[in-house]
Every structure is written in C-alpha cells, then in structure tokens.
Amino acid sequence: MNPYEPPETKSADTPEALNARYHSFAGWWLVAAGVIHWGVANAIQGFTSFSSIIWSPAWIVLLGVLVALKVRIACVVARLIGSCTIFALVMALVLYLTVFDSSSELTAGDTAVDEPEPWQVALVMLGIALTFLPPWWVLQNVVSFSYRLRPLQIDVDED
C-alpha cells in the first residue's frame, strides 16, 4: 500500500467538495435574492395583470442557476458584479460624506434635491450589497483555492 496514494473515498473537506458547496451556496443565494427582488419590484409597482409584471430581476435568478451549475462565464460575471458592487458602495459612501450637508438634503450647486432621501439611497445600496457580496466572497474563495492547489511547475534543463 502506497502511503502517498490519494484516498479512495473523498471526504467532505476535499477542495472539489468545498468548491461544489461554495458554487451551490452562491448560486442559491443569487436565486433567492433574485426572487426577493422580483417580488419587491412587483409589489412596489403594483402589478395588475401578467403584462404589467416586471421581469428584469429574473436575470439575477438566471445568473444564480448558472452559478449553481458551475458555468464558468456565469461565475466570472457574478464575481465582476460583486467587485463593481464594492466600488459602488465606496463611491456612495464618498458621495454621502461629501455631497450631503448638515440639513440632510442632496445639494448640487445652488439647488437642493429632496428625492431620493438619504435613507432610501442607503436602503437600495444595502439591498444591492446583500444580493451580490456573499456570492462574490464565496466565489473569490473558490478562485483562491484553485490557485493554491496548483502544483508548482519548475522547468529544469537536463544537460
């Protein structure tokens, strides 16, 4: 028996099993978030018939299904959206700290804008962050695991 031979049975802690669980988590998170976004958008809009239903949040559900199925381009898109979400959150924080004055109104030059209110902007940004940051984090871990598991290849000239 070779002690260096890989085991016959795979434990739940192998990188392949972790990657499958991470993809499943990220995919189902996006599916659930997409369904929630779809429901909230239609509840706010007050849909009355099938033709008035807002279908645009369905792309999040589709993205989640593709991530759960480990489609590489879907994983890349989900990671890209998560990275853009982080950038958007930082920019929103910077704008909040620099644009809002002490009266809590958005000021642009000589005019003050009453809508949207700061709490509404914060609520939207929180919804976007809760939708995309957990799958982004998990998919980033999958990528980092795959880089750590690659064997080191050294070219040796045999003269």
Side-chain angles (χ1 to χ4, degrees), residues 90-137:
V90 169
M91 291 305 299
L93 180 64
V94 167
L95 286 174
Y96 180 77
L97 294 175
T98 59
V99 175
F100 286 103
D101 61 1
S102 61
S103 64
S104 295
E105 291 182 345
L106 181 62
T107 57
D110 294 333
T111 63
V113 180
D114 293 331
E115 294 211 13
E117 297 205 14
W119 68 268
Q120 291 172 328
V121 174
L123 189 63
V124 167
M125 294 308 289
L126 179 68
I128 293 170
L130 288 176
T131 300
F132 290 107
L133 290 185
W136 172 82
W137 180 261

Side-chain angles (χ1 to χ4, degrees), residues 6 14 25 29 45 58 82 101 103 122 124 129 136 138 155 157:
T14 61
F25 170 79
W29 183 278
Q45 187 69 20
D101 61 1
S103 64
V124 167
W136 172 82
V138 168
D155 294 332
D157 293 332

Side-chain angles (χ1 to χ4, degrees), residues 14-91:
T14 61
E16 295 86 15
L18 284 174
N19 286 349
R21 286 197 311 231
Y22 285 169
H23 277 96
S24 179
F25 170 79
W28 287 113
W29 183 278
L30 287 171
V31 167
V35 169
I36 290 170
H37 281 284
W38 181 81
V40 168
N42 284 304
I44 289 173
Q45 187 69 20
F47 66 94
T48 56
S49 65
F50 186 75
S51 62
S52 67
I53 293 176
I54 298 173
W55 292 103
S56 57
W59 71 268
I60 300 173
V61 175
L62 177 64
L63 182 66
V65 169
L66 293 175
V67 167
L69 294 174
K70 296 184 193 178
V71 176
R72 183 177 297 253
I73 190 71
C75 296
V76 169
V77 168
R79 288 177 46 225
L80 179 65
I81 292 172
S83 298
C84 291
T85 300
I86 292 172
F87 178 75
L89 289 172
V90 169
M91 291 305 299

